[in-house]
Amino acid sequence: EAGVAQSPRYKIIEKRQSVAFWCNPISGHATLYWYQQILGQGPKLLIQFQNNGVVDDSQLPKDRFSAERLKGVDSTLKIQPAKLEDSAVYLCASSLGFGAGGQETQYFGPGTRLLVL
Amino acid sequence: KQEVTQIPAALSVPEGENLVLNCSFTDSAIYNLQWFRQDPGKGLTSLLLIQSSQREQTSGRLNASLDKSSGRSTLYIAASQPGDSATYLCAVGGLNRDDKIIFGKGTRLHILP
């Protein structure tokens, strides 16, 4: 079974530029999560999708971050414009069912490491 | 608001020793607790998941215990090996449908050959 795929693996941009990350979850998984992990911290949930609907985006900085999951499969996360404090690893995860985020086994991708200069 | 704490932040032990990693949480009303491993530049791999009704889970050289009433979990690693070097994170799942999984900051473990 293929795991969660993410690209790119690394990205360096200057502040105020835009960047987009892509995630392909495990086939058949209904729920997809985007996390932000700042160096030395645990991951923080940015947004959770069930199929192509948003379940939780309460911690997403909506003035600069956006995400979509068209057709309920792949997802993209965009930052526009980027700030220095956005430097972090962006992790995508997926889970099989429709349970609450803390109740389902989540499978994580390798992450995209973003550096904003 | 649930808070998850992991102490120490970093730990170095000689190869072959048994060791314990600690995790504490402030709200005992949890659905489950998970231990994850994160290697540098990699994503998270789930090691053990303990449901709130369970006291412990074992997988190979790993044993995780849960004491919900005291808000504590431990991850025991037997006969440590250099390949165990990684960051170990614990995460707590809430009871309510809109609860997020809450992660600790992790313990960075280094096994000395």
Side-chain angles (χ1 to χ4, degrees):
Chain A
E1 176 182 83
V4 176
Q6 290 187 247
S7 67
R9 293 296 311 278
Y10 305 93
K11 191 74 177 178
I12 301 174
I13 62 172
E14 295 187 349
K15 60 183 179 184
R16 291 188 288 275
Q17 285 187 326
S18 309
V19 64
F21 312 129
W22 174 82
C23 173
N24 181 238
I26 293 173
S27 177
H29 279 197
T31 303
L32 184 147
Y33 314 80
W34 282 103
Y35 290 88
Q36 179 192 57
Q37 186 178 23
I38 293 172
L39 187 65
Q41 306 284 320
K44 181 184 81 171
L45 180 70
L46 292 177
I47 189 166
Q48 177 182 345
F49 293 94
Q50 282 182 354
N51 291 327
N52 60 349
V54 175
V55 173
D56 186 344
D57 63 357
S58 57
Q59 300 187 121
L60 186 74
K62 298 180 186 64
D63 57 333
R64 298 183 301 104
F65 286 64
S66 64
E68 60 182 9
R69 190 185 183 198
L70 299 176
K71 301 180 182 178
V73 182
D74 293 6
S75 176
T76 55
L77 176 69
K78 296 180 182 178
I79 307 175
Q80 181 179 13
K83 292 185 175 181
L84 297 177
E85 59 261 35
D86 298 331
S87 294
V89 176
Y90 291 84
L91 296 164
C92 179
S94 68
S95 64
L96 180 61
F98 296 91
Q103 299 176 3
E104 290 258 304
T105 298
Q106 298 182 26
Y107 299 86
F108 284 79
T112 295
R113 188 174 300 272
L114 174 68
L115 178 60
V116 182
L117 302 175
Chain B
K1 177 185 171 185
Q2 180 72 271
E3 292 183 5
V4 179
T5 303
Q6 292 185 249
I7 295 174
L11 181 65
S12 294
V13 299
E15 179 180 1
E17 285 198 1
N18 304 325
L19 61 100
V20 174
L21 306 180
N22 297 296
C23 172
S24 61
F25 46 95
T26 55
D27 185 350
S28 62
I30 65 171
Y31 187 84
N32 60 29
L33 184 144
Q34 294 188 67
W35 282 93
F36 291 87
R37 170 182 173 139
Q38 187 172 30
D39 292 285
K42 303 282 182 65
L44 278 67
T45 302
S46 181
L47 298 173
L48 291 164
L49 184 151
I50 311 176
Q51 301 293 350
S52 63
S53 58
Q54 298 174 320
R55 297 282 295 185
E56 65 178 343
Q57 283 284 345
T58 298
S59 176
R61 294 181 295 107
L62 306 179
N63 175 275
S65 68
L66 175 63
D67 183 343
K68 221 172 46 166
S69 60
S70 67
R72 293 181 182 178
S73 176
T74 61
L75 178 67
Y76 174 83
I77 303 177
S80 58
Q81 304 170 357
D84 295 331
S85 297
T87 297
Y88 292 81
L89 298 111
C90 75
V92 170
L95 289 175
N96 300 314
R97 188 161 182 82
D98 57 354
D99 283 341
K100 305 170 189 45
I101 185 172
I102 304 296
F103 285 85
K105 294 182 179 181
T107 294
R108 194 169 60 256
L109 176 64
H110 182 52
I111 305 300
L112 305 167

